[in-house]
Amino acid sequence: MIARILYRNSVQGVLNYVLGKAESTILGFQNTYSDTDTNTDFFGRVLHYLGNRHDSEKRYVHATINLPRGEQLDDKDFFELSKAYMEHMGYGEQPFIVVRHCDTKHEHVHIVSTTIREDCLQINLSNDFKRNVATQKYLEKQFGLSPSPETRQSKVLPKYEMPQFKNEDISGVRFYMQDIINNTLQKYKVRSFKELAELLGPNHIQLRTVDHNGRIGVSFGIEVKDGYRSRFINGYTVHPQLSGPKLQKVFELNQKSKLFPMVKKRLEKQLRTTFGLFRTIGPEHLPDILRSHQNLDCRLNYDGQGKAVDFSIYDKSGYVLNSKEMEKDIGILENPALFECEYTQMYAESVQLQLELQRCIKEAYRSSYQDSWNRTLFSEHIIRMPIKSIVTEMAKSERFRFLRKYLHTDNRNLGDLIRKQFEITKDKLYTPELVREERALQTKAGLIIQAIDKQLFEPTKQREVLFEFIRSLSTIYDNGNLTYANSNRHKAELNMGPIPMPNQIDFYVSPGFIKENEKVLDGILNDKTAKEIKLNPTAIFQPLMFPNLYGAMASPYRKKFENLSLRAYYKYAERAQVSFEKSPKDYVQFFNAKGFYFEKQGEKICIGSIYSKYPVKVSIAPKTQAYLESSINLDNILEGQTKILEDIGANGRDNLKNLWSGYLMERGQYNKVAYLYVLEGVRPNLPIEILEHHMENGLREALHTVAKIQIDRKHAHLLRKGVYALGNLLGSENPKPEEAYNGFKDELTDWSKYKGRGISM
C-alpha cells in the first residue's frame, strides 16, 4: 500500500473534492462529538471551528491510503486500517472523516482532518513524512497487504509504450497524464514549456500553450494506438499544480537556482576534458564516450536528414542542457575539426591522455595496496611494486578499458605510453606519501607525550597500559624511538625509558579501529567536539576493542570519551531507525531496546547509555525534544523504560558485544552477525520490529548457512582427532591443531590476514 499525507490552509475545497465524487462512500466519522447526528455539514463546521483557532498554513490534513492493484479490503477493514493509520500518525484524538473512492483501478480512501487540537495548539508535525513510511510498513503486515517498494520509485518513468484508452475513459486519460507529468517534473528540473513538451513526447503526451494577456494557459493531450487522440485537457483539470501559472513558477525557480550556473560550468569542464582526449569523434559514438568517461547521459539531436547536429546532456542534478546553451565551441556544428568524420580516434600525444594514464596508474597503486596481504606502508608498496604488476592491475579498471577501446594502437605502443608515465606518476605518489607518513608518525608521538603529560591514565595503571597504548596507535617504541608497527622506515624521537612488556603478546586490531582510536584521543586530549574530529559511531565500541586501555583511563577523560562517543552513536542510531519509527513512543522504545534511555533534566531531555562506565548524559536536539513532548503520555513512556533495561541486564545483553552485533546487522553484515550468534552466542540489542525486518532481508539464510558450517566443523574435528591419534601411534610429529574460528574476534577486528605480518596503519 502507499499512504500520502498533505497539508492545507483551508478545508472546503478538499471536502468538496472528496465528497463530490459520484463513486464515493463515507466509511465513517471519528471523534466528531456526536455519534448520531454527525453528517458532512456538521463535520465541516467542526473542522472549520478548530482550524480557525490557529494561523498556521498547515491547519488541515488530507491523507490518502492506496491499496495495490488487485488487492481489496471490505469497508469495515478499510475503516479500521484508516483509524490505525491516524492513531499512529498522532491524530487518534482528532475529528476525521474516511471516504472511499472507486474511480481508479486501485482502491483508495481519503482522510480529512485538522492539525489543530481543542487547546488551540497544533499537533507536532516533526518527522511526519518519515513516520508515514514507517506506519505504512507496519500496517501492511497487520492487514496482510503487499509491501511497498523499499526505494523511491517516483523518479523512474513508465516504459515508452503507446497507451490504450477508450473514447469515454476520460478519467483514465487524466490520471495517466497526471502520473507521467508529475514524475517528469520530479525527475528533471524543467525550465520551459518547450523543454517539458520534449520530455513528455516519448510518452505520447502533447502540450499546448495559450497566451491570455500575459497569462500562459496550458493544456495536455494524448495519442493512442487506434488513432484516437484525446481532447486537450486544461492543465488545472489534470491537477491543480499543473496549471500554466504554477508551472511557470516552477520553471522560474529552476532557472534562477544558484545550482544551475554551477552545473553548467561543471558540464562544460567535463566536456572539454573528454574532447581533449580525441583527435576525431564520430557523433554516433559521443553518447558512449561520455557515459564511459564522465558518467554523463548524452542524447543526440538530429535534423530532417537524420544528421546529428547537436546533443543534450541529461545531468544527474536533474537539469537538461543542450549544447547550444553552453559555450560556442562545444557543439557539434561549432566543432567541425573534431566531429567532421565518423571515425573515432584518441589523440595519443595529447596532454589529457597523459593525465588519464597517470590517473590509471595511481588507481592501480591504491587498489593493489588495498588488496595486498602484506600491508606495509604505502610508500614502501609504491617502491616495491614493479611496472608489470601495476599494468596487470590497471587492466582491471573501467577507465583503462575505455582508453584502450578508443586508442586504436597495438600493445607495444601502449606499453611505451605507460612506461613514459610510470616513473613520473611513481614520483608524484611517493614523495607526498613519504611526507604524510612522517607527519602522521610525529602526530602519534605528540599524542603519546600529551597523554603522559596530561595524565590520561590513572597513575597506578599507567605503566601497565603503556605497551597497549602505543600499539593502539599502530606504533612500536624501541630505545627512545617511535616507529610504525609494520615498518622501520620512519622514526620519531620519544624518550619514555623502559616500557614493561606483557608476558604474552596477543595484540591484533583492524586499521579502522586504530584510526578511530586516534580520533578519540585527539578529541579528549585537546577538548575537541565530535564534529571537529569527525567521529564515527564505531567510537562507542573502543572499550570493547581496547578494554585495558579504556579501563585504565582517568575519570575526567573517560567521561569526555563517553560524551563524544555517545553523541556520535546517537546521531547514527537516530537515522538508522527512522524508517521503522511510527511515533514518539517508538522513538524512545527503539533506543531502549538498544540499551539507551532518556531522562528529564530540568527543561531538557537527555539520553544516556547502560554501556557507559560513568552516568554521562547528552541533551537531544530542541526539535527532537519538541517531537517527544508532543506525546500526551510521555511521562508514562519514560517510566516504562526501566522494565526494558532491566530485561536487557537480566538476559546478559548489557554488553557492548550485543550492541556491536546490532550495529553489524543494521549495516547489512549478516554473515558476521551469524558467526557472532552461532559461535559466540551474542544476541543483538535491537527492537523486535527491526530484527524481523533483517531476518526477512537475509539474516535467516545467513544463520542457517553458518549453523551448517559449524555442524560440519564439529564432525571434521572428531575425524581429525582420530587422524591425530593414528599419527601418534605411527610415531609422526605432533600436528598443529587448526585454530578454532572465533567469530567475534575475527569479525570485529579482522586481524587474521595480518597475523605474523605486522599491523598496518
Side-chain angles (χ1 to χ4, degrees):
M1 83 182 211
I2 295 178
R4 294 175 179 172
I5 187 165
L6 299 171
Y7 299 105
R8 300 282 186 263
N9 62 358
S10 63
V11 74
Q12 196 58 48
V14 175
L15 286 175
N16 290 341
Y17 170 77
V18 170
L19 299 172
K21 290 291 182 96
E23 300 180 13
S24 64
T25 305
I26 298 176
L27 299 186
F29 298 91
Q30 196 74 7
N31 304 321
T32 54
Y33 318 116
S34 174
D35 296 332
T36 57
D37 299 330
T38 299
N39 54 36
T40 55
D41 292 336
F42 177 78
F43 177 75
R45 290 194 295 271
V46 170
L47 286 194
H48 184 77
Y49 169 74
L50 287 176
N52 281 278
R53 301 173 77 184
H54 201 284
D55 61 354
S56 170
E57 289 293 316
K58 297 181 177 181
R59 289 181 285 179
Y60 301 102
V61 60
H62 176 202
T64 59
I65 301 177
N66 301 269
L67 300 185
R69 289 191 180 184
E71 298 190 15
Q72 298 179 345
L73 289 175
D74 58 33
D75 288 348
K76 181 180 178 181
D77 288 340
F78 222 152
F79 187 52
E80 292 300 320
L81 171 66
S82 303
K83 289 196 295 183
Y85 174 81
M86 294 297 279
E87 180 70 30
H88 288 302
M89 291 300 294
Y91 297 90
E93 304 296 324
Q94 295 294 98
F96 61 85
I97 184 175
V98 182
V99 182
R100 183 169 189 165
H101 283 180
C102 303
D103 56 344
T104 62
K105 292 183 179 180
H106 57 272
E107 298 186 6
H108 65 283
V109 295
H110 293 261
I111 309 173
V112 184
S113 184
T114 177
T115 63
I116 311 304
R117 301 185 309 207
E118 288 186 20
D119 58 3
C120 299
L121 297 178
Q122 188 175 37
I123 291 175
N124 189 285
L125 305 179
S126 300
N127 301 330
D128 50 351
F129 290 102
K130 295 175 181 177
R131 290 166 63 190
N132 174 63
V133 174
T135 301
Q136 176 179 301
K137 290 180 179 180
Y138 177 78
L139 294 178
E140 285 167 352
K141 293 181 179 179
Q142 183 178 345
F143 287 85
L145 300 172
S146 297
S148 54
E150 289 291 329
T151 56
R152 185 174 179 178
Q153 301 292 321
S154 58
K155 292 193 175 182
V156 180
L157 296 180
K159 294 181 180 178
Y160 295 168
E161 295 177 352
M162 187 75 77
Q164 298 185 40
F165 298 111
K166 296 180 180 179
N167 292 8
E168 65 273 12
D169 191 11
I170 297 301
S171 293
V173 172
R174 184 167 63 84
F175 285 119
Y176 175 80
M177 289 179 178
Q178 187 182 119
D179 187 39
I180 296 296
I181 298 170
N182 282 335
N183 275 285
T184 302
L185 292 173
Q186 288 180 28
K187 184 174 183 181
Y188 301 107
K189 295 186 183 298
V190 187
R191 293 170 289 133
S192 67
F193 286 109
K194 181 181 178 182
E195 183 182 330
L196 180 60
E198 292 175 352
L199 292 170
L200 295 177
N203 292 279
H204 315 287
I205 296 178
Q206 298 177 341
L207 180 152
R208 288 181 181 175
T209 56
V210 180
D211 190 346
H212 299 289
N213 298 324
R215 183 182 176 90
I216 303 296
V218 63
S219 58
F220 301 95
I222 190 168
E223 198 170 4
V224 293
K225 274 187 176 180
D226 58 5
Y228 164 74
R229 178 179 296 171
S230 76
R231 64 180 177 84
F232 276 80
I233 305 173
N234 185 280
Y236 183 86
T237 304
V238 176
H239 192 277
Q241 296 298 321
L242 298 180
S243 66
K246 290 192 175 180
L247 285 175
Q248 273 188 306
K249 288 183 179 179
V250 173
F251 300 157
E252 289 172 4
L253 286 174
N254 291 336
Q255 183 68 37
K256 294 178 181 179
S257 170
K258 294 181 180 179
L259 179 65
F260 178 61
M262 298 169 62
V263 170
K264 182 179 177 182
K265 188 174 181 180
R266 171 176 58 79
L267 290 178
E268 289 173 351
K269 183 178 180 181
Q270 287 180 284
L271 290 170
R272 290 187 187 282
T273 299
T274 303
F275 292 169
L277 274 171
F278 290 87
R279 190 186 301 275
T280 57
I281 297 177
E284 296 296 332
H285 298 154
L286 184 60
D288 178 66
I289 289 171
L290 291 177
R291 187 181 304 107
S292 301
H293 187 232
Q294 299 287 359
N295 195 25
L296 293 177
D297 182 8
C298 171
R299 304 178 194 178
L300 297 174
N301 302 324
Y302 299 90
D303 59 11
Q305 289 74 37
K307 181 181 178 181
V309 292
D310 61 6
F311 59 89
S312 297
I313 302 295
Y314 290 70
D315 190 58
K316 59 186 177 182
S317 64
Y319 282 103
V320 180
L321 274 82
N322 190 276
S323 61
K324 295 178 181 178
E325 297 182 82
M326 303 183 201
E327 294 190 13
K328 295 181 179 180
D329 58 341
I330 284 181
I332 292 177
L333 297 180
E334 293 77 16
N335 241 322
L338 183 62
F339 294 101
E340 63 183 358
C341 71
E342 298 182 358
Y343 183 72
T344 299
Q345 185 178 17
M346 278 190 181
Y347 184 33
E349 293 78 20
S350 68
V351 175
Q352 189 60 46
L353 179 60
Q354 296 175 11
L355 295 175
E356 291 292 332
L357 288 173
Q358 290 179 17
R359 190 172 178 180
C360 287
I361 294 170
K362 289 179 181 178
E363 290 175 354
Y365 267 121
R366 292 193 174 97
S367 60
S368 61
Y369 180 65
Q370 293 296 328
D371 296 337
S372 173
W373 287 90
N374 187 13
R375 291 290 291 274
T376 59
L377 296 179
F378 187 38
S379 61
E380 294 177 333
H381 178 79
I382 294 171
I383 293 297
R384 188 177 65 249
M385 288 295 288
I387 186 172
K388 185 176 180 180
S389 300
I390 292 299
V391 171
T392 303
E393 190 68 27
M394 285 174 60
K396 301 176 184 177
S397 70
E398 291 290 337
R399 185 182 303 279
F400 183 74
R401 284 197 287 267
F402 162 74
L403 297 177
R404 191 167 186 177
K405 178 179 179 181
Y406 291 104
L407 197 53
H408 301 302
T409 186
D410 55 30
N411 290 334
R412 178 177 296 179
N413 291 333
L414 181 59
D416 291 339
L417 291 173
I418 294 174
R419 272 190 290 273
K420 288 179 182 178
Q421 303 305 318
F422 180 74
E423 291 299 330
I424 298 173
T425 309
K426 187 176 180 179
D427 291 340
K428 284 183 178 180
L429 272 178
Y430 177 74
T431 304
E433 185 62 26
L434 206 62
V435 174
R436 189 198 67 81
E437 291 168 353
E438 182 67 35
R439 289 176 179 172
L441 185 62
Q442 294 292 340
T443 301
K444 293 173 187 286
L447 281 176
I448 295 172
I449 294 172
Q450 276 187 295
I452 295 173
D453 291 345
K454 294 183 178 182
Q455 296 183 342
L456 176 65
F457 304 106
E458 295 176 4
T460 57
K461 299 180 180 178
Q462 179 165 294
R463 297 294 295 174
E464 298 176 10
V465 299
L466 272 180
F467 173 81
E468 184 172 339
F469 173 48
I470 293 171
R471 294 299 295 269
S472 72
L473 296 172
S474 189
T475 53
I476 294 176
Y477 175 77
D478 184 29
N479 295 326
N481 291 312
L482 189 72
T483 62
Y484 284 110
N486 56 345
S487 173
N488 294 319
R489 177 179 292 271
H490 305 283
K491 292 184 179 181
E493 292 186 6
L494 186 65
N495 188 9
M496 298 177 61
I499 294 178
M501 300 287 286
N503 296 328
Q504 182 180 357
I505 299 177
D506 188 18
F507 190 89
Y508 305 101
V509 63
S510 68
F513 274 103
I514 289 175
K515 186 176 181 180
E516 206 62 30
N517 181 54
E518 191 170 344
K519 288 182 185 179
V520 168
L521 295 176
D522 183 27
I524 62 179
L525 288 171
N526 297 300
D527 291 324
K528 294 183 179 180
T529 64
K531 186 176 181 180
E532 286 178 316
I533 57 178
K534 299 179 181 179
L535 207 59
N536 292 324
T538 52
I540 200 171
F541 303 108
Q542 292 295 323
L544 186 63
M545 191 63 226
F546 309 105
N548 297 330
L549 192 67
Y550 284 83
M553 194 172 285
S555 173
Y557 294 108
R558 181 63 187 259
K559 289 179 180 178
K560 287 182 183 179
F561 160 73
E562 303 285 5
N563 187 291
L564 289 174
S565 61
L566 181 56
R567 286 181 186 277
Y569 186 83
Y570 167 61
K571 290 181 179 179
Y572 156 78
E574 197 175 39
R575 295 191 302 269
Q577 71 183 36
V578 71
S579 61
F580 300 92
E581 174 195 313
K582 304 179 293 297
S583 64
K585 181 179 179 181
D586 283 344
Y587 184 94
V588 174
Q589 291 184 348
F590 284 178
F591 270 102
N592 293 162
K594 292 183 176 182
F596 298 87
Y597 57 91
F598 295 89
E599 281 186 3
K600 285 186 176 180
Q601 294 186 350
E603 296 182 355
K604 290 186 176 181
I605 298 179
C606 301
I607 185 173
S609 165
I610 65 172
Y611 311 106
S612 300
K613 184 177 180 180
Y614 299 98
V616 174
K617 307 291 190 304
V618 171
S619 60
I620 64 177
K623 186 176 180 180
T624 305
Q625 179 165 331
Y627 169 54
L628 295 183
E629 290 176 340
S630 67
S631 176
I632 58 176
N633 58 343
L634 179 61
D635 291 336
N636 294 335
I637 295 172
L638 296 181
E639 289 176 4
Q641 296 180 112
T642 306
K643 185 177 184 302
I644 300 175
L645 299 176
E646 286 177 350
D647 289 343
I648 292 176
N651 294 324
R653 292 188 289 112
D654 53 348
N655 191 292
L656 278 172
K657 277 187 180 183
N658 304 94
L659 185 65
W660 170 253
S661 177
Y663 175 79
L664 288 176
M665 193 179 297
E666 290 173 329
R667 305 293 291 180
Q669 303 293 323
Y670 295 143
N671 287 334
K672 298 180 180 181
V673 175
Y675 277 115
L676 285 171
Y677 191 95
V678 174
L679 302 182
E680 298 287 333
V682 178
R683 302 298 184 259
N685 281 351
L686 278 180
I688 188 65
E689 293 93 334
I690 299 179
L691 190 58
E692 288 176 351
H693 165 77
H694 291 297
M695 289 291 283
E696 296 172 0
N697 205 36
L699 178 60
R700 183 177 287 106
E701 290 77 8
L703 286 170
H704 288 323
T705 302
V706 174
K708 185 178 183 303
I709 291 173
Q710 180 65 2
I711 292 171
D712 293 343
R713 182 178 286 113
K714 288 181 178 178
H715 290 168
H717 182 65
L718 293 174
L719 292 173
R720 193 179 297 116
K721 279 187 175 181
V723 172
Y724 289 165
L726 179 61
N728 290 334
L729 288 174
L730 296 176
S732 62
E733 295 181 357
N734 290 331
K736 182 180 179 181
E738 181 181 348
E739 181 182 3
Y741 182 82
N742 184 327
F744 172 71
K745 182 170 62 175
D746 289 352
E747 298 304 331
L748 174 62
T749 65
D750 195 24
W751 57 263
S752 59
K753 61 184 179 181
Y754 310 118
K755 190 173 181 181
R757 300 182 177 90
I759 306 170
S760 66
M761 292 173 57

